[in-house]
Amino acid sequence: QLIKGEVTLKNVTFGYVPGKTVLKNINVKAKPGQKIAFVGSTGAGKTTITNLINRFYEIEEGEILIDGINIKNIKKDSLRRNIAMVLQDTHLFSGTVRENIRYGRPDATDEEVITAAKIACAHSFIERLPQGYDTVLEGDGANLSQGERQLLNIARAAISKAPILILDEATSSVDTRTEKHIERGMDQLMKNRTTFVIAHRLSTVRNADQIIVLEHGEIIEQGTHDELIKMGGRYYQLYTG
Ligand code: DUT
Ligand code: MG
């Protein structure tokens, strides 16, 4: 079992197909509990980095370490248990709302399920469903809105004890009011977890311990919000629009 959640990327270079490099020489060191934000234009490689941390793809050059262990030497089911993620396209299965939330934590009590749903601002809409937490979701949550599906994925991350969290446009389908409402829950979710966050709205990444600016697969700037603003480079441009 991994417990600290230190994540290191060392000289990572990657392409999905031979001859087309998508990430070039990426170096990142996330200390346990830190919040790391990736920003940059569409196609810059943000999601690709998280795909590699998840080991959805194998890297050929460089290495990724979790608590000092090369992820190639970590069993996939152990990785799955230790990395929680909320992505833009949601993953739900046909089963009840309750089963979907406690996926990965089958031991979770009903109370824990409700607490997680409250953190995710999902409790009130779940209660309005015909059978509440026992409502059966059709394939991939077809009877829910896209935003509601994201809230269930957030609840699932909240109930998980994974020390590493990946948020890739985690609230992109949620309306502005709910997004405002869920901010406290997201802070609670990230607390004590090493978090990699990708968000188009830069206000949500402002308080990150490190902001990493990617362009065409390369890190062009790296620092805190204040440092990057002072630098007056690409982040400053993105931030001031
Ligand atoms: N790419 C592929 N195959 C894939 C996924 C992506 O070739 O399965 C390419 C497309 C793009 C580059 O990799 O040129 C980086 O894509 P990524 O999804 O990492 O970009 P992003 O920074 O996450 O962009 P967005 O803000 O649009 O999500
Ligand atoms: Mg992406």
Side-chain angles (χ1 to χ4, degrees), residues 71-112:
I71 59 168
K72 285 184 178 167
N73 300 322
I74 299 172
K75 289 208 178 78
K76 287 224 171 150
D77 65 318
S78 173
L79 266 189
R80 296 286 88 85
R81 256 184 289 121
N82 284 286
I83 304 179
M85 51 191 164
V86 185
L87 312 177
Q88 189 161 16
D89 38 313
T90 53
H91 298 276
L92 298 168
F93 55 86
S94 344
T96 66
V97 169
R98 191 190 315 282
E99 286 161 352
N100 266 281
I101 291 176
R102 67 174 182 211
Y103 171 83
R105 278 276 325 278
D107 60 306
T109 63
D110 289 354
E111 232 168 295
E112 285 179 294

Short mmCIF file of all heavy atoms in Angstrom, two decimals, residues 71-112:
data_model
loop_
_atom_site.label_atom_id
_atom_site.label_comp_id
_atom_site.label_asym_id
_atom_site.label_seq_id
_atom_site.Cartn_x
_atom_site.Cartn_y
_atom_site.Cartn_z
N ILE A 71 6.52 3.54 -11.33
CA ILE A 71 5.15 3.02 -11.45
C ILE A 71 5.08 1.74 -12.29
O ILE A 71 4.10 1.02 -12.21
CB ILE A 71 4.12 4.06 -11.96
CG1 ILE A 71 4.49 4.61 -13.33
CG2 ILE A 71 3.95 5.19 -10.98
CD1 ILE A 71 3.34 5.40 -13.97
N LYS A 72 6.14 1.48 -13.06
CA LYS A 72 6.16 0.22 -13.81
C LYS A 72 6.20 -0.98 -12.86
O LYS A 72 5.85 -2.08 -13.24
CB LYS A 72 7.40 0.17 -14.71
CG LYS A 72 7.25 1.04 -15.92
CD LYS A 72 8.44 0.90 -16.85
CE LYS A 72 8.22 1.75 -18.08
NZ LYS A 72 9.45 1.90 -18.85
N ASN A 73 6.68 -0.71 -11.64
CA ASN A 73 6.79 -1.79 -10.66
C ASN A 73 5.64 -1.79 -9.65
O ASN A 73 5.69 -2.48 -8.64
CB ASN A 73 8.12 -1.68 -9.92
CG ASN A 73 9.30 -1.79 -10.87
OD1 ASN A 73 9.24 -2.57 -11.83
ND2 ASN A 73 10.32 -0.98 -10.66
N ILE A 74 4.62 -1.00 -9.94
CA ILE A 74 3.45 -0.97 -9.04
C ILE A 74 2.31 -1.68 -9.76
O ILE A 74 2.05 -1.41 -10.94
CB ILE A 74 3.06 0.49 -8.70
CG1 ILE A 74 4.21 1.20 -7.98
CG2 ILE A 74 1.79 0.51 -7.85
CD1 ILE A 74 4.00 2.69 -7.77
N LYS A 75 1.65 -2.59 -9.10
CA LYS A 75 0.56 -3.32 -9.73
C LYS A 75 -0.55 -2.36 -10.11
O LYS A 75 -0.85 -1.42 -9.39
CB LYS A 75 0.01 -4.38 -8.78
CG LYS A 75 0.96 -5.55 -8.56
CD LYS A 75 0.15 -6.81 -8.22
CE LYS A 75 1.05 -8.01 -8.03
NZ LYS A 75 1.71 -7.99 -6.70
N LYS A 76 -1.21 -2.64 -11.24
CA LYS A 76 -2.24 -1.72 -11.72
C LYS A 76 -3.38 -1.55 -10.72
O LYS A 76 -3.89 -0.46 -10.53
CB LYS A 76 -2.78 -2.18 -13.08
CG LYS A 76 -1.76 -1.95 -14.19
CD LYS A 76 -2.36 -1.37 -15.45
CE LYS A 76 -1.23 -0.96 -16.39
NZ LYS A 76 -1.53 -1.04 -17.80
N ASP A 77 -3.78 -2.63 -10.06
CA ASP A 77 -4.90 -2.47 -9.12
C ASP A 77 -4.49 -1.64 -7.91
O ASP A 77 -5.30 -0.92 -7.33
CB ASP A 77 -5.49 -3.84 -8.71
CG ASP A 77 -4.51 -4.68 -7.93
OD1 ASP A 77 -3.33 -4.71 -8.30
OD2 ASP A 77 -4.93 -5.30 -6.93
N SER A 78 -3.21 -1.69 -7.57
CA SER A 78 -2.73 -0.84 -6.48
C SER A 78 -2.74 0.63 -6.92
O SER A 78 -3.14 1.52 -6.17
CB SER A 78 -1.32 -1.28 -6.09
OG SER A 78 -0.77 -0.38 -5.17
N LEU A 79 -2.33 0.87 -8.17
CA LEU A 79 -2.39 2.23 -8.70
C LEU A 79 -3.83 2.74 -8.67
O LEU A 79 -4.09 3.87 -8.25
CB LEU A 79 -1.90 2.26 -10.15
CG LEU A 79 -0.46 2.57 -10.46
CD1 LEU A 79 -0.29 2.76 -11.96
CD2 LEU A 79 0.03 3.82 -9.74
N ARG A 80 -4.77 1.91 -9.14
CA ARG A 80 -6.18 2.31 -9.18
C ARG A 80 -6.68 2.67 -7.78
O ARG A 80 -7.44 3.60 -7.59
CB ARG A 80 -7.08 1.17 -9.73
CG ARG A 80 -6.84 0.76 -11.20
CD ARG A 80 -7.37 1.77 -12.19
NE ARG A 80 -6.36 2.79 -12.47
CZ ARG A 80 -5.38 2.66 -13.37
NH1 ARG A 80 -5.30 1.61 -14.14
NH2 ARG A 80 -4.49 3.61 -13.52
N ARG A 81 -6.24 1.92 -6.78
CA ARG A 81 -6.69 2.19 -5.42
C ARG A 81 -6.09 3.47 -4.87
O ARG A 81 -6.67 4.10 -4.00
CB ARG A 81 -6.30 1.03 -4.49
CG ARG A 81 -7.48 0.12 -4.15
CD ARG A 81 -7.09 -0.95 -3.17
NE ARG A 81 -6.23 -1.94 -3.81
CZ ARG A 81 -5.01 -2.25 -3.42
NH1 ARG A 81 -4.49 -1.68 -2.39
NH2 ARG A 81 -4.29 -3.14 -4.05
N ASN A 82 -4.92 3.83 -5.36
CA ASN A 82 -4.21 4.96 -4.78
C ASN A 82 -4.37 6.26 -5.56
O ASN A 82 -3.89 7.30 -5.14
CB ASN A 82 -2.73 4.62 -4.62
CG ASN A 82 -2.51 3.71 -3.43
OD1 ASN A 82 -2.59 4.16 -2.29
ND2 ASN A 82 -2.32 2.43 -3.67
N ILE A 83 -5.01 6.17 -6.72
CA ILE A 83 -5.24 7.39 -7.50
C ILE A 83 -6.74 7.53 -7.76
O ILE A 83 -7.33 6.67 -8.42
CB ILE A 83 -4.47 7.36 -8.84
CG1 ILE A 83 -2.97 7.13 -8.60
CG2 ILE A 83 -4.72 8.66 -9.62
CD1 ILE A 83 -2.14 7.06 -9.89
N ALA A 84 -7.33 8.57 -7.22
CA ALA A 84 -8.74 8.85 -7.51
C ALA A 84 -8.78 9.87 -8.62
O ALA A 84 -7.88 10.69 -8.74
CB ALA A 84 -9.44 9.40 -6.27
N MET A 85 -9.79 9.79 -9.48
CA MET A 85 -9.83 10.79 -10.55
C MET A 85 -11.24 11.21 -10.91
O MET A 85 -12.18 10.43 -10.82
CB MET A 85 -9.10 10.29 -11.78
CG MET A 85 -9.54 8.93 -12.20
SD MET A 85 -8.42 8.30 -13.46
CE MET A 85 -8.86 6.60 -13.40
N VAL A 86 -11.36 12.47 -11.27
CA VAL A 86 -12.61 12.99 -11.80
C VAL A 86 -12.27 13.63 -13.13
O VAL A 86 -11.48 14.57 -13.19
CB VAL A 86 -13.25 14.04 -10.87
CG1 VAL A 86 -14.61 14.45 -11.40
CG2 VAL A 86 -13.37 13.51 -9.44
N LEU A 87 -12.82 13.07 -14.19
CA LEU A 87 -12.46 13.53 -15.52
C LEU A 87 -13.66 14.21 -16.17
O LEU A 87 -14.77 14.17 -15.67
CB LEU A 87 -12.00 12.34 -16.38
CG LEU A 87 -10.96 11.42 -15.72
CD1 LEU A 87 -10.64 10.25 -16.63
CD2 LEU A 87 -9.70 12.19 -15.36
N GLN A 88 -13.37 14.82 -17.30
CA GLN A 88 -14.41 15.53 -18.02
C GLN A 88 -15.51 14.56 -18.46
O GLN A 88 -16.69 14.81 -18.27
CB GLN A 88 -13.77 16.18 -19.24
CG GLN A 88 -14.68 17.13 -19.96
CD GLN A 88 -13.87 18.06 -20.84
OE1 GLN A 88 -12.70 17.82 -21.13
NE2 GLN A 88 -14.49 19.12 -21.28
N ASP A 89 -15.12 13.43 -19.07
CA ASP A 89 -16.12 12.44 -19.43
C ASP A 89 -16.22 11.45 -18.29
O ASP A 89 -15.24 10.86 -17.85
CB ASP A 89 -15.81 11.73 -20.75
CG ASP A 89 -14.33 11.47 -20.93
OD1 ASP A 89 -13.55 12.41 -20.69
OD2 ASP A 89 -13.95 10.34 -21.27
N THR A 90 -17.42 11.31 -17.79
CA THR A 90 -17.65 10.59 -16.54
C THR A 90 -17.71 9.09 -16.76
O THR A 90 -17.94 8.61 -17.87
CB THR A 90 -18.96 11.05 -15.94
OG1 THR A 90 -19.98 10.91 -16.94
CG2 THR A 90 -18.89 12.50 -15.52
N HIS A 91 -17.47 8.36 -15.68
CA HIS A 91 -17.53 6.91 -15.75
C HIS A 91 -18.49 6.39 -14.69
O HIS A 91 -18.20 6.45 -13.51
CB HIS A 91 -16.14 6.31 -15.58
CG HIS A 91 -15.22 6.74 -16.67
ND1 HIS A 91 -15.19 6.08 -17.88
CD2 HIS A 91 -14.39 7.78 -16.77
CE1 HIS A 91 -14.33 6.71 -18.67
NE2 HIS A 91 -13.83 7.74 -18.02
N LEU A 92 -19.64 5.93 -15.14
CA LEU A 92 -20.63 5.35 -14.23
C LEU A 92 -21.02 4.01 -14.82
O LEU A 92 -20.82 3.75 -16.00
CB LEU A 92 -21.85 6.26 -14.12
CG LEU A 92 -21.58 7.66 -13.54
CD1 LEU A 92 -22.77 8.57 -13.75
CD2 LEU A 92 -21.23 7.59 -12.06
N PHE A 93 -21.56 3.13 -14.01
CA PHE A 93 -21.99 1.83 -14.53
C PHE A 93 -23.45 1.60 -14.17
O PHE A 93 -24.00 2.31 -13.32
CB PHE A 93 -21.09 0.72 -14.00
CG PHE A 93 -21.01 0.65 -12.51
CD1 PHE A 93 -21.96 -0.05 -11.77
CD2 PHE A 93 -19.98 1.30 -11.83
CE1 PHE A 93 -21.88 -0.10 -10.37
CE2 PHE A 93 -19.90 1.25 -10.44
CZ PHE A 93 -20.85 0.55 -9.73
N SER A 94 -24.09 0.64 -14.81
CA SER A 94 -25.48 0.35 -14.47
C SER A 94 -25.50 -0.31 -13.10
O SER A 94 -24.95 -1.38 -12.89
CB SER A 94 -26.15 -0.59 -15.47
OG SER A 94 -25.40 -0.66 -16.65
N GLY A 95 -26.12 0.38 -12.19
CA GLY A 95 -26.17 -0.03 -10.79
C GLY A 95 -26.82 1.12 -10.06
O GLY A 95 -27.17 2.12 -10.71
N THR A 96 -26.98 1.01 -8.76
CA THR A 96 -27.64 2.10 -8.05
C THR A 96 -26.67 3.27 -7.86
O THR A 96 -25.45 3.12 -8.02
CB THR A 96 -28.13 1.65 -6.66
OG1 THR A 96 -26.98 1.33 -5.86
CG2 THR A 96 -29.04 0.44 -6.75
N VAL A 97 -27.24 4.41 -7.50
CA VAL A 97 -26.43 5.58 -7.20
C VAL A 97 -25.46 5.25 -6.07
O VAL A 97 -24.27 5.55 -6.15
CB VAL A 97 -27.35 6.76 -6.79
CG1 VAL A 97 -26.55 7.91 -6.21
CG2 VAL A 97 -28.17 7.23 -7.99
N ARG A 98 -25.97 4.56 -5.07
CA ARG A 98 -25.13 4.18 -3.92
C ARG A 98 -23.94 3.33 -4.35
O ARG A 98 -22.80 3.61 -3.99
CB ARG A 98 -25.98 3.39 -2.93
CG ARG A 98 -25.33 3.14 -1.57
CD ARG A 98 -26.14 2.13 -0.75
NE ARG A 98 -27.58 2.38 -0.76
CZ ARG A 98 -28.19 3.31 -0.04
NH1 ARG A 98 -27.50 4.06 0.78
NH2 ARG A 98 -29.49 3.49 -0.13
N GLU A 99 -24.20 2.33 -5.19
CA GLU A 99 -23.12 1.45 -5.65
C GLU A 99 -22.10 2.23 -6.47
O GLU A 99 -20.90 1.98 -6.38
CB GLU A 99 -23.69 0.31 -6.50
CG GLU A 99 -24.40 -0.76 -5.69
CD GLU A 99 -25.34 -1.64 -6.53
OE1 GLU A 99 -25.57 -1.33 -7.73
OE2 GLU A 99 -25.87 -2.59 -5.95
N ASN A 100 -22.61 3.18 -7.25
CA ASN A 100 -21.70 3.97 -8.07
C ASN A 100 -20.79 4.85 -7.21
O ASN A 100 -19.62 5.03 -7.54
CB ASN A 100 -22.48 4.82 -9.07
CG ASN A 100 -22.62 4.12 -10.41
OD1 ASN A 100 -21.69 4.12 -11.21
ND2 ASN A 100 -23.75 3.47 -10.62
N ILE A 101 -21.35 5.39 -6.13
CA ILE A 101 -20.52 6.26 -5.28
C ILE A 101 -19.49 5.44 -4.52
O ILE A 101 -18.33 5.84 -4.40
CB ILE A 101 -21.40 7.07 -4.30
CG1 ILE A 101 -22.23 8.10 -5.08
CG2 ILE A 101 -20.54 7.79 -3.25
CD1 ILE A 101 -23.20 8.90 -4.25
N ARG A 102 -19.88 4.27 -4.03
CA ARG A 102 -18.91 3.55 -3.21
C ARG A 102 -18.07 2.55 -4.01
O ARG A 102 -17.36 1.74 -3.43
CB ARG A 102 -19.60 2.89 -2.01
CG ARG A 102 -20.53 1.80 -2.37
CD ARG A 102 -21.04 1.11 -1.12
NE ARG A 102 -21.90 0.04 -1.55
CZ ARG A 102 -22.94 -0.40 -0.88
NH1 ARG A 102 -23.26 0.13 0.28
NH2 ARG A 102 -23.67 -1.38 -1.35
N TYR A 103 -18.13 2.70 -5.32
CA TYR A 103 -17.27 1.91 -6.20
C TYR A 103 -15.82 2.08 -5.75
O TYR A 103 -15.34 3.19 -5.57
CB TYR A 103 -17.45 2.41 -7.64
CG TYR A 103 -16.48 1.85 -8.63
CD1 TYR A 103 -16.69 0.62 -9.22
CD2 TYR A 103 -15.34 2.57 -8.98
CE1 TYR A 103 -15.81 0.11 -10.13
CE2 TYR A 103 -14.44 2.07 -9.90
CZ TYR A 103 -14.68 0.83 -10.46
OH TYR A 103 -13.79 0.33 -11.37
N GLY A 104 -15.11 1.01 -5.55
CA GLY A 104 -13.73 1.13 -5.06
C GLY A 104 -13.64 1.10 -3.54
O GLY A 104 -12.57 0.91 -2.99
N ARG A 105 -14.77 1.36 -2.88
CA ARG A 105 -14.81 1.29 -1.41
C ARG A 105 -16.06 0.50 -1.00
O ARG A 105 -16.95 1.02 -0.32
CB ARG A 105 -14.93 2.70 -0.81
CG ARG A 105 -13.68 3.53 -0.66
CD ARG A 105 -12.86 3.27 0.59
NE ARG A 105 -13.56 2.94 1.81
CZ ARG A 105 -14.13 3.83 2.63
NH1 ARG A 105 -14.07 5.10 2.40
NH2 ARG A 105 -14.74 3.43 3.73
N PRO A 106 -16.19 -0.74 -1.43
CA PRO A 106 -17.42 -1.50 -1.16
C PRO A 106 -17.74 -1.62 0.32
O PRO A 106 -18.88 -1.90 0.68
CB PRO A 106 -17.15 -2.87 -1.79
CG PRO A 106 -15.70 -2.92 -2.08
CD PRO A 106 -15.20 -1.53 -2.17
N ASP A 107 -16.75 -1.37 1.17
CA ASP A 107 -16.96 -1.46 2.61
C ASP A 107 -17.62 -0.20 3.18
O ASP A 107 -17.98 -0.16 4.35
CB ASP A 107 -15.60 -1.65 3.29
CG ASP A 107 -14.65 -0.49 2.99
OD1 ASP A 107 -14.44 -0.19 1.79
OD2 ASP A 107 -14.12 0.12 3.93
N ALA A 108 -17.74 0.86 2.35
CA ALA A 108 -18.24 2.14 2.86
C ALA A 108 -19.67 2.00 3.39
O ALA A 108 -20.50 1.31 2.81
CB ALA A 108 -18.19 3.19 1.76
N THR A 109 -19.94 2.68 4.50
CA THR A 109 -21.28 2.64 5.09
C THR A 109 -22.20 3.62 4.35
O THR A 109 -21.74 4.52 3.64
CB THR A 109 -21.24 3.06 6.56
OG1 THR A 109 -20.81 4.43 6.62
CG2 THR A 109 -20.28 2.20 7.36
N ASP A 110 -23.51 3.47 4.56
CA ASP A 110 -24.49 4.39 3.96
C ASP A 110 -24.21 5.83 4.39
O ASP A 110 -24.36 6.76 3.61
CB ASP A 110 -25.92 3.99 4.36
CG ASP A 110 -26.34 2.70 3.67
OD1 ASP A 110 -25.58 2.19 2.81
OD2 ASP A 110 -27.44 2.19 4.00
N GLU A 111 -23.79 5.96 5.63
CA GLU A 111 -23.50 7.30 6.14
C GLU A 111 -22.33 7.92 5.39
O GLU A 111 -22.37 9.10 5.05
CB GLU A 111 -23.12 7.17 7.62
CG GLU A 111 -23.92 8.10 8.52
CD GLU A 111 -23.71 7.70 9.96
OE1 GLU A 111 -24.12 6.57 10.32
OE2 GLU A 111 -23.10 8.51 10.69
N GLU A 112 -21.30 7.12 5.12
CA GLU A 112 -20.15 7.62 4.38
C GLU A 112 -20.55 8.02 2.96
O GLU A 112 -20.05 8.99 2.41
CB GLU A 112 -19.03 6.56 4.33
CG GLU A 112 -18.29 6.39 5.63
CD GLU A 112 -17.22 5.31 5.54
OE1 GLU A 112 -17.58 4.13 5.38
OE2 GLU A 112 -16.03 5.65 5.63
#
